Amino acid sequence: MSAAYEQYLVPVVFRPFAEDLAGRAAALHPRRVLELAAGTGVLTVGLLAATPSAEVTATDLNEAMVALGSARAPGAVWRQADAQRLPFPDAGFDLVVCQFGVMFFPDHVEAFSEVRRVLAPGGRFLFNTWGPLGTHAFEVALQAGLERAFPVDPPRFFPTVPHGYADPAVVAADLAAAGFAVEDAQELTLQGTAASTADLATGYLTGTPVRAAVEERGDGPAVRATVIEEMTARLGPGPVTAPMTAYVFRAVA
């Protein structure tokens, strides 16, 4: 799953926002950076390039992601870690960053409280979240394809998890509950470009948790064909460019 994620989704969906987040991190001139939910390291690579004098520690809960990420971004120290139980001492970092990971935390306030604990006083927490599903054209088309393939009980991963933490007011309230002050919150829309709709569908169906849901329901090749057909009808065969909207937050401990 991590290899498919890296091949098909990272260049299209995640790299544009990683470049933006790395630039924002560099503007803070950090010395000790902790990255949460680093995945295969697309942001880690950007952080190493944008903050060459900083010590970067990258973490992810998934062992396969850590293995792939550490090979891709060997300049960082890699650790497997749960964001709600970070294996680091108090006040050990002056910047914590997270790209599209906070939506997966089971308890947002608990995770944000851990982030605050490992930040030095005045340290920053910089992260992004996806906007509502309707603001991400690729995933609107994907979900339509899944609903066509599964008219009864379609997989609901994308509306409920990646796009399930899409109210900036809720995010700000959770940060405040964890002791943070929000310095900045911005809506950001960037363009993603995929070589083909078929590649994009393959990435989503094999490189995300939707893979397990499809396998549970059976007949993967037929599902893939239906999803590709629906996505192509909506986006074209490719190359295809479409808008993706996120929110970017910067909070101070």
Side-chain angles (χ1 to χ4, degrees):
M1 190 169 79
S2 57
Y5 168 91
E6 170 69 21
Q7 179 178 353
Y8 296 112
L9 297 182
V10 164
V12 179
V13 177
F14 296 102
R15 185 169 294 140
F17 290 95
E19 292 171 352
D20 170 78
L21 212 58
R24 294 172 190 263
L28 298 173
H29 307 290
R31 292 172 296 138
R32 297 160 296 165
V33 181
L34 173 63
E35 182 183 359
L36 305 179
T40 58
V42 62
L43 175 58
T44 321
V45 170
L47 290 170
L48 291 168
T51 61
S53 62
E55 298 176 2
V56 177
T57 300
T59 66
D60 198 276
L61 184 62
N62 185 290
E63 285 187 31
M65 291 291 193
V66 171
L68 190 55
S70 60
R72 189 168 185 264
V77 175
W78 283 82
R79 294 272 306 266
Q80 183 183 12
D82 182 342
Q84 293 183 197
R85 290 177 291 275
L86 292 172
F88 304 107
D90 296 357
F93 301 92
D94 51 20
L95 176 63
V96 175
V97 295
C98 184
Q99 166 152 288
F100 299 125
V102 300
M103 307 90 70
F104 294 89
F105 300 161
D107 186 320
H108 295 108
V109 175
E110 183 178 345
F112 293 167
S113 297
E114 268 292 89
V115 170
R116 189 173 184 274
R117 179 185 67 78
V118 302
L119 275 171
R124 264 63 176 215
F125 182 25
L126 179 66
F127 66 95
N128 54 17
T129 67
W130 289 119
L133 178 65
T135 65
H136 196 302
F138 291 139
E139 292 171 12
V140 167
L142 169 73
Q143 188 62 29
L146 290 169
E147 291 174 3
R148 179 175 161 190
F150 301 105
V152 178
D153 190 28
R156 298 286 299 165
F157 169 74
F158 281 94
T160 59
V161 183
H163 299 280
Y165 196 45
D167 185 339
V170 171
V171 178
D174 288 345
L175 285 165
F180 279 102
V182 177
E183 287 186 321
D184 191 42
Q186 296 181 14
E187 180 179 298
L188 177 66
T189 299
L190 298 177
Q191 302 292 316
T193 300
S196 74
T197 304
D199 281 356
L200 195 60
T202 298
Y204 280 121
L205 293 175
T206 63
T208 74
V210 165
R211 176 177 187 157
V214 170
E215 289 174 350
E216 287 172 3
R217 289 161 172 80
D219 204 4
V223 170
R224 181 176 181 273
T226 299
V227 170
I228 289 174
E229 185 176 301
E230 182 65 27
M231 292 184 72
T232 300
R234 290 169 175 263
L235 301 171
V240 58
T241 298
M244 310 172 290
T245 296
Y247 301 114
V248 186
F249 294 86
R250 188 181 74 241
V252 61

